């Protein structure tokens, strides 16, 4: 079912589909996502810790991460990126979306851990 796929941390079938069934390409895309995650995590950390954080910077990174998610099968990470980006663009503060930012960090960690078997 579709619902089952939306709860998967990595949906490899979806990743392969995005990569026209080229496994090497799917792995490259996933690797790019994984390589970018620490940078996003650093930005999220700063956003959570600092009083005056540049929202545009946070939007930029979350938007870019969302784009990268679109090329890899990571439905949950993609969804939380979309939620955060939409909230920030509609005028929400970092304080407003703290739970979502923690969820983003959690998902990034899970994706990083779950990607290992695919990238060896």
């Amino acid at each position: 079912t579709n619902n089952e796929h939306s709860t998967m941390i990595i949906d490899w079938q979806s990743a392969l589909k995005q990569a026209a069934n080229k496994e090497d390409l799917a792995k490259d895309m996933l690797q790019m996502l994984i390589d970018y995650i620490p940078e996003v995590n650093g930005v999220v950390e700063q956003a959570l810790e600092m009083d005056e954080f540049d929202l545009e910077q946070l939007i930029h990174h979350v938007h870019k991460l969302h784009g990268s998610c679109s090329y890899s099968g990571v439905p949950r990470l993609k969804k939380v990126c979309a939620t955060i980006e939409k909230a920030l663009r509609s005028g929400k503060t970092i304080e407003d979306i703290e739970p979502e930012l923690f969820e983003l960090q959690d998902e990034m960690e899970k994706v990083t851990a779950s990607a290992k078997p695919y990238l060896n």
Side-chain angles (χ1 to χ4, degrees), residues 43 45-58 93-95:
V43 170
E45 284 288 316
Q46 284 182 310
L48 288 166
E49 284 165 19
M50 288 164 61
D51 289 335
E52 296 292 321
F53 189 79
D54 178 15
L55 278 181
E56 284 307 315
Q57 198 190 340
L58 183 58
T93 65
I94 286 171
E95 219 172 15

Side-chain angles (χ1 to χ4, degrees), residues 69-117:
C69 288
S70 300
Y71 293 108
S72 299
V74 286
R76 284 166 38 169
L77 183 58
K78 185 178 172 182
K79 192 173 170 212
V80 71
C81 283
T83 303
I84 290 169
E85 188 179 352
K86 194 175 162 194
L88 290 172
R89 288 192 193 277
S90 69
K92 293 267 197 285
T93 65
I94 286 171
E95 219 172 15
D96 291 332
I97 59 158
E98 254 184 24
E100 287 79 11
L101 289 173
F102 288 127
E103 192 188 340
L104 177 64
Q105 289 188 309
D106 196 37
E107 275 309 314
M108 288 193 295
E109 215 172 286
K110 286 178 181 163
V111 166
T112 301
S114 303
K116 286 197 174 80

